[in-house]
Amino acid sequence: MEVSGVRKYIYSDTELDREEGQIIEDLKANSQPTIPDPDQWLDEKPEQNILLTTVDWFINWGRRSSLWPAICFPACCAFELIAANGPRFDLARFGMEILRASPRQADLMITAGTLTWKMAPNVRRIYNQMAEPKWVIAMGACAISGGIFASASYAVVPGYNHIIPVDVYVPGCPPRPEALIYGIQMLQKKIAQKRNVDIGKLVRR
Ligand code: SF4
């Protein structure tokens, strides 16, 4: 029905039913052929769906993609590490959003802060209790060399590498989260190159 010359239509119930029925009839008429499964790759030959890789690559992929840091942040660099764990920098992208309160559930120590000799035995104990294989990122000038305190204080350890082995050094005072993330990526590259299976030993047997 046209209303006072305006091109606007108001349907009666009957017209509305007829209109809806026509839409359904049109759909039925156009829907007789079946829609093919878009996942046609399932029909491809099985050998085209087999992913070949090495045991080393697979183990290293799992390890580098699920680094769990231990909570061990003795000083001010810790705030940059905390920021890196926030939503802006999103460490969850690397599978490492879980900071472990227990060293037995951690395989990465990020040494974010100045280390004093008084604290050193406890840091070494945390490292010793971490699960194998484990890695260490020295974050900040204090972690690398004792930083600004190294020459002026008898109480500061001149670098964590006097206490535990360090894999990656991230300079700065403090390093920004971007720098820490770059260091994490360097560690991931290092883990990716690790040999887990000694082929030579297997062949000699
Ligand atoms: S490197 Fe700088 S920010 Fe980091 S713990 Fe040392 S003094 Fe603090």
Side-chain angles (χ1 to χ4, degrees), residues 137 139 168-172 174-185:
I137 294 178
M139 178 182 179
V168 173
Y169 296 84
V170 180
R176 279 189 52 83
E178 294 94 333
L180 176 61
I181 289 171
Y182 185 72
I184 290 167
Q185 290 175 319

Side-chain angles (χ1 to χ4, degrees), residues 75-77 113-114 141-142 149 172-174:
C76 27
C77 270
T114 323
C142 288
F149 308 107
C173 180

Side-chain angles (χ1 to χ4, degrees), residues 123-142:
V123 168
R124 178 176 279 172
R125 185 176 303 124
I126 291 172
Y127 177 80
N128 288 340
Q129 290 178 345
M130 284 165 54
E132 291 278 2
K134 52 195 169 189
W135 300 275
V136 176
I137 294 178
M139 178 182 179
C142 288

